[in-house]
Amino acid sequence: FGVEAADAAGMTASLAAGEVVTLPSVGLFADGAAVKTVGSETFRLCQKYVDGMVTVDTDQICNAIKLAYNDARVILEPAGALAVAGLKKYIEENNISGSTFVAITSGANMDFNRLRVVSERADDSERTLQITIPETPGSFRAMYSKIWPRNVTEFSYRYESNQEANGKKLL
């Protein structure tokens, strides 16, 4: 199987079309594997040898980077984590257990600033919500009672008018 980022799935589209296609645009999170047009020789080989394609989103790639770090203390770049993300998705979607699989990883071209983004997106225990609450005493407490027992770890507040306040909270 092959794995691509969902926002740069040129091989997936080409194999489905039976010919090399050019994507109008590609996402750049997994920039080491993001091309608008796949190579003709690569396409020929994939047609012949690849049984199927799996696409993964940015959050799944971040989760794979975290998984590789937690398991082997290896920090993969996003393109290098595609195999882990795809394998995990394939196993979960097909409810496979008791089998052995190998994901071939590569690349450690990870800059320090990107690690923060990866860490935030890989952590599925938190959610960011943007809300509007009335500008009256007790409004935050009333909103919080709706999400209890989850913790609010961060709350950004912007006063808009006497009637309502806009907030962004991290759960």
Side-chain angles (χ1 to χ4, degrees), residues 21-43:
V21 299
T22 298
L23 300 175
S25 64
V26 293
L28 295 177
F29 185 73
D31 57 350
V35 295
K36 287 184 179 181
T37 308
V38 298
S40 58
E41 180 63 7
T42 305
F43 173 73

Side-chain angles (χ1 to χ4, degrees), residues 42-62:
T42 305
F43 173 73
R44 184 186 73 75
L45 292 171
C46 285
Q47 265 190 317
K48 188 172 181 178
Y49 297 111
V50 173
D51 294 326
M53 296 295 294
V54 177
T55 58
V56 292
D57 63 28
T58 300
D59 289 343
Q60 291 168 315
I61 296 168
C62 290

